[in-house]
Amino acid sequence: MTAKQIAVAFHGIGHPVRPLEPGEARYWISEDLFLRFLDLVAAHRDPANIRLTFDDANDSDFHIARPALHERGLTGSFFIITSRLDNPGSLSSAQLRTLSERMEIGSHGVDHVDWRGLDPARLEEELAGSKRVLERCVGRAVTVASIPYGRYNARVLAAVRAAGYTTVYSSDGGPSSTTIGLVARTNVRVDTTLHDFAKLIDGVDPVGARLVRRLKAIRRKLV
Ligand SMILES: [Zn+2]
């Protein structure tokens, strides 16, 4: 990735089939809005500079995102919670394999837990264990991960690298400085407007994202 690349994080699209986690509904967007966001990306002067990512292994990755990306000649990175594979509302192993034919596949851990609070064995399982499951499923190396809830500290980043990941995606917002293999993403939320999204992919750092990043930096120093 170049230093100017913009990375966007999508979650669920359309209507959830499984019960949502507390606070998760704000990250689900309508199919109509998602398609209009993708149209903006496809019409962008440099779509290759916009990284589209999808967290949580929702089955909307397969039923909605995959065909919509194909139609527009776009690709995405899909970060999988391995314990959800083959559960209702989540990707099946067969869908994941099909998705992997043209899309990047990465880990979002085993159980969707905050990695900061885990003991070393459990953290190892989240990172190396999920990697093994995914590699077995898609038949190739998996070297990218996204951090559940965007919560990390120096210990988490060291463990991610030790497990063999070369690039890790946060939810810190704004453009990425990628030299250390940590890619900042901006979450798309239910209240993200077309105007917000257009500004985002043009590399205009929204004030909100800047504030969130500063608060996170402060919080990281405290944990
Ligand atoms: Zn997640």
Side-chain angles (χ1 to χ4, degrees):
M1 275 178 70
T2 67
K4 285 183 187 162
Q5 191 149 23
I6 301 296
V8 179
F10 294 103
H11 295 78
I13 306 158
H15 301 288
V17 175
R18 61 174 172 79
L20 297 184
E21 293 182 12
E24 187 188 347
R26 77 176 76 112
Y27 295 106
W28 279 72
I29 63 171
S30 72
E31 179 172 357
D32 179 60
L33 193 56
F34 173 70
L35 298 179
R36 293 169 79 184
F37 288 157
L38 282 200
D39 286 338
L40 286 177
V41 175
H44 193 267
R45 64 184 179 280
D46 192 9
N49 221 28
I50 302 162
R51 169 94 26 145
L52 303 171
T53 76
F54 299 81
D55 278 8
D56 299 347
N58 295 300
D59 66 357
S60 55
D61 290 355
F62 186 81
H63 295 298
I64 299 175
R66 176 176 175 267
L69 290 166
H70 282 191
E71 277 168 24
R72 292 162 180 79
L74 301 169
T75 59
S77 302
F78 292 79
F79 295 100
I80 309 302
I81 302 168
T82 56
S83 70
R84 289 195 187 163
L85 283 173
D86 299 307
N87 287 344
S90 298
L91 291 172
S92 70
S93 302
Q95 288 170 339
L96 176 59
R97 266 192 293 280
T98 304
L99 195 59
S100 74
E101 288 167 6
R102 287 168 63 173
M103 305 291 167
E104 182 176 51
I105 303 299
S107 172
H108 198 38
V110 176
D111 283 330
H112 210 230
V113 290
D114 185 339
W115 289 345
R116 295 172 306 176
L118 303 180
D119 64 46
R122 180 86 196 282
L123 185 55
E124 159 86 7
E125 174 57 18
E126 281 290 322
L127 298 169
S130 63
K131 191 172 189 291
R132 272 194 301 273
V133 168
L134 292 171
E135 289 178 343
R136 227 176 5 243
C137 184
V138 304
R140 63 170 189 255
V142 169
T143 59
V144 293
S146 80
I147 301 169
Y149 313 107
R151 295 175 191 152
Y152 63 92
N153 55 24
R155 174 177 164 260
V156 164
L157 293 183
V160 168
R161 298 218 169 85
Y165 296 99
T166 55
T167 306
V168 59
Y169 289 77
S170 73
S171 307
D172 288 345
S176 298
S177 71
T178 60
T179 44
I180 56 167
L182 177 65
V183 181
R185 298 181 299 175
T186 300
N187 279 319
V188 174
R189 298 164 45 128
V190 67
D191 56 356
T192 303
T193 64
L194 274 177
H195 183 65
D196 294 336
F197 193 86
K199 279 201 300 189
L200 169 65
I201 64 175
D202 274 334
V204 179
D205 193 9
V207 173
R210 266 203 309 273
L211 279 174
V212 167
R213 227 176 21 252
R214 285 187 57 185
L215 287 171
K216 281 190 170 176
I218 293 165
R219 195 174 63 191
R220 272 200 299 281
K221 282 181 193 146
L222 300 176
V223 295

Short mmCIF file of all heavy atoms in Angstrom, two decimals, residues 51 77-80 103-108 115 127-128 130-136 138-147 157 159-169 180-183:
data_model
loop_
_atom_site.label_atom_id
_atom_site.label_comp_id
_atom_site.label_asym_id
_atom_site.label_seq_id
_atom_site.Cartn_x
_atom_site.Cartn_y
_atom_site.Cartn_z
N ARG A 51 -9.02 0.81 -0.40
CA ARG A 51 -9.10 -0.59 0.03
C ARG A 51 -10.43 -0.82 0.73
O ARG A 51 -10.75 -0.14 1.70
CB ARG A 51 -7.93 -0.87 0.98
CG ARG A 51 -7.99 -2.16 1.71
CD ARG A 51 -7.27 -3.33 1.08
NE ARG A 51 -6.16 -3.01 0.21
CZ ARG A 51 -5.07 -3.75 0.11
NH1 ARG A 51 -4.90 -4.80 0.86
NH2 ARG A 51 -4.12 -3.44 -0.74
N SER A 77 -11.15 -7.06 0.80
CA SER A 77 -10.48 -7.93 1.78
C SER A 77 -11.52 -8.31 2.83
O SER A 77 -12.19 -7.43 3.39
CB SER A 77 -9.33 -7.19 2.45
OG SER A 77 -8.41 -6.73 1.49
N PHE A 78 -11.63 -9.61 3.08
CA PHE A 78 -12.66 -10.12 3.98
C PHE A 78 -12.01 -10.74 5.21
O PHE A 78 -11.21 -11.67 5.09
CB PHE A 78 -13.53 -11.14 3.24
CG PHE A 78 -14.36 -10.50 2.15
CD1 PHE A 78 -13.78 -10.19 0.92
CD2 PHE A 78 -15.69 -10.18 2.37
CE1 PHE A 78 -14.53 -9.58 -0.08
CE2 PHE A 78 -16.44 -9.56 1.37
CZ PHE A 78 -15.87 -9.27 0.15
N PHE A 79 -12.37 -10.23 6.38
CA PHE A 79 -11.76 -10.68 7.63
C PHE A 79 -12.77 -11.54 8.40
O PHE A 79 -13.87 -11.10 8.74
CB PHE A 79 -11.31 -9.46 8.44
CG PHE A 79 -10.20 -8.72 7.75
CD1 PHE A 79 -10.46 -7.57 7.04
CD2 PHE A 79 -8.91 -9.22 7.77
CE1 PHE A 79 -9.44 -6.90 6.36
CE2 PHE A 79 -7.88 -8.56 7.10
CZ PHE A 79 -8.15 -7.40 6.40
N ILE A 80 -12.33 -12.76 8.66
CA ILE A 80 -13.25 -13.83 9.07
C ILE A 80 -13.11 -14.15 10.56
O ILE A 80 -11.99 -14.30 11.07
CB ILE A 80 -12.92 -15.12 8.26
CG1 ILE A 80 -12.88 -14.82 6.75
CG2 ILE A 80 -13.90 -16.24 8.60
CD1 ILE A 80 -14.14 -14.25 6.17
N MET A 103 -10.91 -12.63 -3.98
CA MET A 103 -10.81 -11.65 -2.91
C MET A 103 -9.72 -12.04 -1.91
O MET A 103 -9.41 -13.23 -1.76
CB MET A 103 -12.15 -11.55 -2.16
CG MET A 103 -13.34 -11.26 -3.05
SD MET A 103 -13.33 -9.58 -3.74
CE MET A 103 -14.59 -9.73 -5.01
N GLU A 104 -9.20 -11.04 -1.21
CA GLU A 104 -8.23 -11.32 -0.15
C GLU A 104 -8.98 -11.80 1.10
O GLU A 104 -10.01 -11.24 1.47
CB GLU A 104 -7.45 -10.05 0.18
CG GLU A 104 -6.38 -10.28 1.25
CD GLU A 104 -5.55 -9.04 1.52
OE1 GLU A 104 -6.12 -7.95 1.74
OE2 GLU A 104 -4.31 -9.16 1.49
N ILE A 105 -8.43 -12.82 1.74
CA ILE A 105 -9.03 -13.36 2.96
C ILE A 105 -8.06 -13.14 4.12
O ILE A 105 -6.86 -13.43 4.01
CB ILE A 105 -9.34 -14.87 2.82
CG1 ILE A 105 -10.26 -15.13 1.63
CG2 ILE A 105 -9.92 -15.41 4.13
CD1 ILE A 105 -11.63 -14.47 1.70
N GLY A 106 -8.58 -12.63 5.23
CA GLY A 106 -7.76 -12.42 6.42
C GLY A 106 -8.48 -12.89 7.66
O GLY A 106 -9.65 -13.28 7.62
N SER A 107 -7.77 -12.84 8.77
CA SER A 107 -8.34 -13.29 10.06
C SER A 107 -8.90 -12.12 10.85
O SER A 107 -8.32 -11.03 10.87
CB SER A 107 -7.25 -13.98 10.88
OG SER A 107 -7.76 -14.24 12.18
N HIS A 108 -10.01 -12.40 11.52
CA HIS A 108 -10.58 -11.45 12.49
C HIS A 108 -10.68 -12.18 13.84
O HIS A 108 -11.48 -11.83 14.68
CB HIS A 108 -11.95 -11.00 11.99
CG HIS A 108 -12.49 -9.75 12.60
ND1 HIS A 108 -11.73 -8.66 12.91
CD2 HIS A 108 -13.78 -9.43 12.97
CE1 HIS A 108 -12.52 -7.71 13.43
NE2 HIS A 108 -13.75 -8.17 13.49
N TRP A 115 -8.61 -8.52 22.07
CA TRP A 115 -7.35 -9.27 22.19
C TRP A 115 -6.47 -8.77 23.32
O TRP A 115 -5.54 -9.45 23.75
CB TRP A 115 -6.57 -9.20 20.86
CG TRP A 115 -7.21 -10.01 19.76
CD1 TRP A 115 -8.17 -10.97 19.89
CD2 TRP A 115 -6.90 -9.94 18.36
NE1 TRP A 115 -8.50 -11.49 18.66
CE2 TRP A 115 -7.73 -10.88 17.72
CE3 TRP A 115 -6.02 -9.17 17.60
CZ2 TRP A 115 -7.71 -11.07 16.33
CZ3 TRP A 115 -5.99 -9.36 16.22
CH2 TRP A 115 -6.81 -10.30 15.59
N LEU A 127 -4.94 -15.90 17.19
CA LEU A 127 -4.14 -15.45 16.04
C LEU A 127 -3.68 -16.62 15.18
O LEU A 127 -4.02 -16.71 14.01
CB LEU A 127 -2.95 -14.65 16.55
CG LEU A 127 -3.33 -13.38 17.31
CD1 LEU A 127 -2.12 -12.77 18.01
CD2 LEU A 127 -3.96 -12.37 16.37
N ALA A 128 -2.91 -17.54 15.78
CA ALA A 128 -2.38 -18.66 14.99
C ALA A 128 -3.47 -19.68 14.70
O ALA A 128 -3.49 -20.29 13.62
CB ALA A 128 -1.21 -19.31 15.74
N SER A 130 -6.79 -19.22 14.32
CA SER A 130 -7.69 -18.77 13.24
C SER A 130 -6.97 -18.81 11.89
O SER A 130 -7.56 -19.16 10.86
CB SER A 130 -8.20 -17.35 13.52
OG SER A 130 -7.14 -16.42 13.55
N LYS A 131 -5.69 -18.49 11.91
CA LYS A 131 -4.88 -18.51 10.68
C LYS A 131 -4.85 -19.92 10.09
O LYS A 131 -5.04 -20.12 8.88
CB LYS A 131 -3.46 -18.04 11.02
CG LYS A 131 -2.55 -17.74 9.86
CD LYS A 131 -1.27 -17.10 10.41
CE LYS A 131 -0.37 -16.56 9.32
NZ LYS A 131 0.26 -17.57 8.51
N ARG A 132 -4.64 -20.91 10.96
CA ARG A 132 -4.59 -22.31 10.49
C ARG A 132 -5.92 -22.72 9.86
O ARG A 132 -5.96 -23.35 8.80
CB ARG A 132 -4.27 -23.25 11.66
CG ARG A 132 -2.78 -23.46 11.90
CD ARG A 132 -2.56 -24.65 12.83
NE ARG A 132 -3.22 -24.49 14.12
CZ ARG A 132 -2.69 -23.86 15.17
NH1 ARG A 132 -1.48 -23.33 15.08
NH2 ARG A 132 -3.35 -23.77 16.31
N VAL A 133 -7.01 -22.39 10.54
CA VAL A 133 -8.34 -22.77 10.04
C VAL A 133 -8.58 -22.15 8.66
O VAL A 133 -9.03 -22.82 7.72
CB VAL A 133 -9.44 -22.30 11.02
CG1 VAL A 133 -10.83 -22.41 10.40
CG2 VAL A 133 -9.37 -23.10 12.32
N LEU A 134 -8.23 -20.88 8.53
CA LEU A 134 -8.48 -20.18 7.25
C LEU A 134 -7.59 -20.74 6.14
O LEU A 134 -8.04 -20.94 5.01
CB LEU A 134 -8.24 -18.68 7.42
CG LEU A 134 -9.26 -17.97 8.31
CD1 LEU A 134 -8.82 -16.53 8.59
CD2 LEU A 134 -10.65 -17.99 7.68
N GLU A 135 -6.34 -21.00 6.48
CA GLU A 135 -5.41 -21.50 5.45
C GLU A 135 -5.85 -22.88 4.96
O GLU A 135 -5.75 -23.19 3.77
CB GLU A 135 -3.99 -21.52 6.00
CG GLU A 135 -3.44 -20.10 6.15
CD GLU A 135 -2.04 -20.03 6.73
OE1 GLU A 135 -1.58 -21.03 7.33
OE2 GLU A 135 -1.42 -18.95 6.60
N ARG A 136 -6.35 -23.69 5.90
CA ARG A 136 -6.85 -25.01 5.50
C ARG A 136 -8.06 -24.84 4.58
O ARG A 136 -8.22 -25.57 3.60
CB ARG A 136 -7.26 -25.79 6.75
CG ARG A 136 -6.72 -27.21 6.74
CD ARG A 136 -6.98 -28.03 7.96
NE ARG A 136 -7.81 -27.47 9.00
CZ ARG A 136 -7.39 -27.22 10.24
NH1 ARG A 136 -6.15 -27.45 10.57
NH2 ARG A 136 -8.23 -26.76 11.14
N VAL A 138 -9.00 -22.12 2.62
CA VAL A 138 -8.83 -21.46 1.32
C VAL A 138 -7.61 -21.98 0.55
O VAL A 138 -7.44 -21.66 -0.62
CB VAL A 138 -8.75 -19.92 1.44
CG1 VAL A 138 -10.00 -19.38 2.15
CG2 VAL A 138 -7.49 -19.45 2.15
N GLY A 139 -6.75 -22.77 1.21
CA GLY A 139 -5.65 -23.41 0.50
C GLY A 139 -4.51 -22.49 0.14
O GLY A 139 -3.77 -22.74 -0.81
N ARG A 140 -4.35 -21.41 0.87
CA ARG A 140 -3.18 -20.57 0.65
C ARG A 140 -2.85 -19.81 1.94
O ARG A 140 -3.63 -19.84 2.89
CB ARG A 140 -3.40 -19.60 -0.51
CG ARG A 140 -4.51 -18.60 -0.30
CD ARG A 140 -4.49 -17.53 -1.40
NE ARG A 140 -5.42 -16.46 -1.11
CZ ARG A 140 -6.59 -16.30 -1.72
NH1 ARG A 140 -6.97 -17.13 -2.66
NH2 ARG A 140 -7.38 -15.29 -1.39
N ALA A 141 -1.70 -19.16 1.95
CA ALA A 141 -1.25 -18.45 3.16
C ALA A 141 -2.19 -17.28 3.46
O ALA A 141 -2.65 -16.59 2.56
CB ALA A 141 0.17 -17.95 2.98
N VAL A 142 -2.46 -17.09 4.74
CA VAL A 142 -3.26 -15.95 5.21
C VAL A 142 -2.35 -15.07 6.07
O VAL A 142 -1.86 -15.51 7.11
CB VAL A 142 -4.48 -16.44 6.02
CG1 VAL A 142 -5.16 -15.28 6.74
CG2 VAL A 142 -5.47 -17.16 5.10
N THR A 143 -2.08 -13.87 5.60
CA THR A 143 -1.06 -13.03 6.26
C THR A 143 -1.59 -11.65 6.66
O THR A 143 -0.83 -10.77 7.01
CB THR A 143 0.17 -12.84 5.35
OG1 THR A 143 -0.27 -12.24 4.13
CG2 THR A 143 0.84 -14.16 5.04
N VAL A 144 -2.91 -11.48 6.59
CA VAL A 144 -3.50 -10.21 7.01
C VAL A 144 -4.54 -10.47 8.09
O VAL A 144 -5.19 -11.52 8.11
CB VAL A 144 -4.13 -9.44 5.82
CG1 VAL A 144 -3.07 -8.97 4.85
CG2 VAL A 144 -5.17 -10.29 5.11
N ALA A 145 -4.69 -9.51 8.98
CA ALA A 145 -5.66 -9.65 10.07
C ALA A 145 -6.31 -8.29 10.31
O ALA A 145 -5.72 -7.25 10.03
CB ALA A 145 -4.98 -10.13 11.34
N SER A 146 -7.52 -8.31 10.84
CA SER A 146 -8.10 -7.07 11.35
C SER A 146 -8.45 -7.28 12.82
O SER A 146 -8.82 -8.37 13.24
CB SER A 146 -9.32 -6.62 10.53
OG SER A 146 -10.47 -7.34 10.90
N ILE A 147 -8.31 -6.21 13.58
CA ILE A 147 -8.37 -6.30 15.04
C ILE A 147 -9.80 -6.13 15.52
O ILE A 147 -10.43 -5.12 15.20
CB ILE A 147 -7.47 -5.20 15.65
CG1 ILE A 147 -6.03 -5.35 15.17
CG2 ILE A 147 -7.57 -5.22 17.16
CD1 ILE A 147 -5.14 -4.17 15.51
N LEU A 157 0.01 -6.06 19.04
CA LEU A 157 0.69 -5.91 17.74
C LEU A 157 1.88 -6.86 17.63
O LEU A 157 2.12 -7.45 16.58
CB LEU A 157 1.14 -4.46 17.53
CG LEU A 157 0.01 -3.44 17.38
CD1 LEU A 157 0.60 -2.05 17.11
CD2 LEU A 157 -0.96 -3.82 16.27
N ALA A 159 2.21 -9.75 19.16
CA ALA A 159 1.70 -11.12 19.02
C ALA A 159 1.18 -11.37 17.61
O ALA A 159 1.35 -12.46 17.05
CB ALA A 159 0.59 -11.36 20.05
N VAL A 160 0.53 -10.37 17.03
CA VAL A 160 0.03 -10.51 15.66
C VAL A 160 1.20 -10.78 14.70
O VAL A 160 1.15 -11.68 13.86
CB VAL A 160 -0.73 -9.22 15.23
CG1 VAL A 160 -1.01 -9.23 13.74
CG2 VAL A 160 -2.03 -9.09 16.02
N ARG A 161 2.28 -10.04 14.87
CA ARG A 161 3.44 -10.24 13.99
C ARG A 161 4.07 -11.60 14.24
O ARG A 161 4.46 -12.30 13.31
CB ARG A 161 4.45 -9.13 14.22
CG ARG A 161 3.84 -7.79 13.87
CD ARG A 161 4.79 -6.83 13.20
NE ARG A 161 4.00 -5.71 12.70
CZ ARG A 161 3.67 -4.64 13.45
NH1 ARG A 161 4.11 -4.52 14.68
NH2 ARG A 161 2.91 -3.70 12.95
N ALA A 162 4.18 -11.98 15.53
CA ALA A 162 4.80 -13.28 15.87
C ALA A 162 4.00 -14.43 15.27
O ALA A 162 4.56 -15.49 14.97
CB ALA A 162 4.89 -13.42 17.39
N ALA A 163 2.69 -14.24 15.10
CA ALA A 163 1.85 -15.30 14.54
C ALA A 163 1.98 -15.39 13.03
O ALA A 163 1.39 -16.29 12.41
CB ALA A 163 0.39 -15.07 14.94
N GLY A 164 2.72 -14.47 12.41
CA GLY A 164 2.98 -14.58 10.98
C GLY A 164 2.16 -13.65 10.10
O GLY A 164 2.13 -13.81 8.88
N TYR A 165 1.50 -12.68 10.71
CA TYR A 165 0.77 -11.70 9.90
C TYR A 165 1.71 -10.55 9.53
O TYR A 165 2.48 -10.08 10.36
CB TYR A 165 -0.42 -11.14 10.68
CG TYR A 165 -1.47 -12.18 11.00
CD1 TYR A 165 -1.51 -12.79 12.25
CD2 TYR A 165 -2.40 -12.57 10.05
CE1 TYR A 165 -2.47 -13.75 12.56
CE2 TYR A 165 -3.36 -13.53 10.33
CZ TYR A 165 -3.38 -14.12 11.60
OH TYR A 165 -4.33 -15.07 11.87
N THR A 166 1.61 -10.10 8.29
CA THR A 166 2.48 -9.01 7.84
C THR A 166 1.76 -7.67 7.82
O THR A 166 2.39 -6.62 7.86
CB THR A 166 3.01 -9.30 6.42
OG1 THR A 166 1.90 -9.54 5.57
CG2 THR A 166 3.92 -10.51 6.42
N THR A 167 0.43 -7.71 7.74
CA THR A 167 -0.34 -6.47 7.73
C THR A 167 -1.52 -6.63 8.67
O THR A 167 -2.21 -7.65 8.65
CB THR A 167 -0.87 -6.16 6.31
OG1 THR A 167 0.23 -6.16 5.41
CG2 THR A 167 -1.56 -4.81 6.27
N VAL A 168 -1.75 -5.62 9.49
CA VAL A 168 -2.88 -5.67 10.41
C VAL A 168 -3.69 -4.39 10.27
O VAL A 168 -3.14 -3.29 10.14
CB VAL A 168 -2.41 -5.94 11.86
CG1 VAL A 168 -1.45 -4.88 12.35
CG2 VAL A 168 -3.59 -6.04 12.80
N TYR A 169 -5.01 -4.55 10.22
CA TYR A 169 -5.92 -3.43 10.01
C TYR A 169 -6.56 -3.03 11.33
O TYR A 169 -7.13 -3.86 12.03
CB TYR A 169 -7.01 -3.82 9.00
CG TYR A 169 -6.49 -3.94 7.59
CD1 TYR A 169 -5.76 -5.06 7.18
CD2 TYR A 169 -6.72 -2.94 6.66
CE1 TYR A 169 -5.28 -5.16 5.90
CE2 TYR A 169 -6.24 -3.04 5.36
CZ TYR A 169 -5.51 -4.14 4.99
OH TYR A 169 -5.04 -4.23 3.72
N ILE A 180 4.63 0.67 8.93
CA ILE A 180 4.80 -0.35 9.97
C ILE A 180 3.81 -1.50 9.82
O ILE A 180 3.68 -2.34 10.70
CB ILE A 180 4.70 0.25 11.38
CG1 ILE A 180 3.37 0.98 11.55
CG2 ILE A 180 5.87 1.20 11.66
CD1 ILE A 180 3.05 1.34 12.99
N GLY A 181 3.13 -1.55 8.70
CA GLY A 181 2.21 -2.67 8.47
C GLY A 181 0.93 -2.57 9.29
O GLY A 181 0.22 -3.55 9.45
N LEU A 182 0.64 -1.40 9.82
CA LEU A 182 -0.60 -1.17 10.57
C LEU A 182 -1.45 -0.20 9.75
O LEU A 182 -1.06 0.94 9.53
CB LEU A 182 -0.28 -0.58 11.94
CG LEU A 182 -1.47 -0.22 12.83
CD1 LEU A 182 -2.26 -1.46 13.21
CD2 LEU A 182 -0.98 0.49 14.10
N VAL A 183 -2.58 -0.67 9.26
CA VAL A 183 -3.38 0.12 8.34
C VAL A 183 -4.61 0.66 9.06
O VAL A 183 -5.42 -0.11 9.58
CB VAL A 183 -3.81 -0.74 7.13
CG1 VAL A 183 -4.64 0.10 6.16
CG2 VAL A 183 -2.60 -1.34 6.44
#
